[in-house]
Amino acid sequence: TTRDAPRVGGFMRASVCIPGISSASASVPRSVRGPRSEARRHVQSPRGAHIPRASAMDQDPARFLGDAARSQQANAGASQVWAEVTALSQLPGILDLGQGWPDFGADMTAREAASRALLDESDPRSNQYSVIPGRPELIAAIARYYRATGSADAVHADGGNVLVTSSGTEAVYATMQATLSPGDECVFLEPFFPWYISNCAIFGATPVAVRMRVSEVTGQYDVDYEALERALASPKCKVLIHNSPHNPTGKVFAREENERIAAMCVEHDVMCIADEVYERCTFGGFGGDGGHGDGDAFP
């Protein structure tokens, strides 16, 4: 809204606030105001009375959105579901199993290290924006960790192919954005993390969900390899998102399962995005040796 907006020289300060979109401000020259600005000015009636302009609340601010923002809003179903579930989980007697809310605090080693970093005044640059790929010390530490935990062939010793993101969800989003074009097919196992399908919609890709089956013998989820093979063999298939440990079923894929899926990706020249945000949240007896076979350890 530009009502009572402060003016500086020949410029009028304007700000726009749209639900779900960051607010933005801009200085607009008074001499180049367009039809929308003229339409909002007071109108002089024949009798000399001023007719007040329409309230900003009476107009839909979404008319200013660009095509990309409109597409993102139209495909915001996942975030809407989360908002509804979170609100319902606050009701008495409701236990939310849809989100990972631990009933214990963070590891004391991590908290103490974070406290030391916050109080350390030896490097004033620490109190500033980080470089986009991530701080060199953090990149080096990540490279050491993954090379020591089974990914020596996938992670460069100097961390040259390591990128730090603010979350696992951002990492998946950025990877899908970098690899998927409109019309490409993106395959993932169902049930799935809801952001996969939302991201596909934003990038114009076609989501292909391959439903897992519940074993009558073990009661656990198994991959329908024939259906997965058909999906990966599609000439439009470009990406497979392999989520292990799996959200939301908790399935930890055994090494043999990972090797079979990796072989399919190699055969059909499909890139595999290994979404392994819960890679160390496993228990004994699952995934082979009580752990989980890293997807990035395979070709």
Side-chain angles (χ1 to χ4, degrees):
T1 175
T2 58
R3 182 186 295 275
D4 300 325
R7 293 176 178 175
V8 181
F11 289 82
M12 177 177 65
R13 196 67 176 173
S15 62
V16 178
C17 294
I18 300 174
I21 304 295
S22 300
S23 62
S25 303
S27 295
V28 183
R30 296 173 60 190
S31 60
V32 296
R33 287 182 294 181
R36 290 192 181 90
S37 298
E38 295 299 326
R40 288 194 292 268
R41 299 172 63 187
H42 287 282
V43 179
Q44 186 79 21
S45 74
R47 296 180 181 274
H50 283 86
I51 301 175
R53 62 190 177 184
S55 168
M57 296 300 292
D58 298 332
Q59 303 180 46
D60 183 9
R63 67 188 186 280
F64 295 109
L65 293 178
D67 292 341
R70 289 179 183 276
S71 175
Q72 192 161 1
Q73 278 197 337
N75 295 289
S79 59
Q80 293 172 0
V81 169
W82 279 117
E84 293 175 6
V85 169
T86 301
L88 291 172
S89 69
Q90 305 305 311
L91 298 177
I94 300 298
L95 179 62
D96 182 9
L97 299 178
Q99 301 183 56
W101 297 104
D103 57 358
F104 52 87
D107 183 79
M108 185 57 67
T109 300
R111 285 190 282 175
E112 290 176 347
S115 298
R116 289 194 298 270
L118 288 172
L119 298 174
D120 185 6
E121 299 182 355
S122 60
D123 185 1
R125 294 174 299 178
S126 297
N127 185 31
Q128 185 50 273
Y129 297 116
S130 177
V131 292
I132 292 176
R135 289 179 64 103
E137 313 94 284
L138 179 56
I139 288 178
I142 292 173
R144 288 196 303 272
Y145 171 80
Y146 279 102
R147 287 179 63 83
T149 55
S151 302
D153 294 336
V155 179
H156 297 170
D158 61 358
N161 61 344
V162 173
L163 175 68
V164 178
T165 61
S166 60
S167 67
T169 299
E170 183 191 7
V172 172
Y173 180 96
T175 306
M176 295 176 68
Q177 184 181 39
T179 55
L180 292 171
S181 299
D184 288 340
E185 292 179 351
C186 178
V187 177
F188 40 81
L189 298 177
E190 184 181 4
F192 51 84
F193 184 54
W195 262 251
Y196 297 160
I197 196 169
S198 297
N199 290 349
C200 285
I202 292 172
F203 306 136
T206 301
V208 179
V210 177
R211 180 170 296 184
M212 289 194 289
R213 302 171 300 188
V214 177
S215 171
E216 297 181 357
V217 177
T218 65
Q220 297 192 27
Y221 282 90
D222 289 333
V223 177
D224 184 342
Y225 287 103
E226 292 183 1
L228 181 60
E229 181 86 38
R230 289 194 299 270
L232 297 180
S234 168
K236 293 184 178 181
C237 180
K238 190 174 185 180
V239 167
L240 166 71
I241 303 179
H242 182 44
N243 179 209
S244 178
H246 186 261
N247 179 9
T249 67
K251 174 181 173 63
V252 180
F253 287 77
R255 176 170 290 272
E256 296 76 15
E257 293 176 299
N258 283 332
E259 289 177 335
R260 186 170 180 178
I261 293 172
M264 289 183 180
C265 290
V266 173
E267 178 182 357
H268 299 291
D269 194 27
V270 172
M271 190 188 85
C272 177
I273 298 177
D275 182 0
E276 301 176 347
V277 67
Y278 300 110
E279 62 179 336
R280 302 305 166 198
C281 300
T282 58
F283 302 91
F286 294 92
D289 300 327
H292 129 77
D294 298 322
D296 58 8
F298 302 109

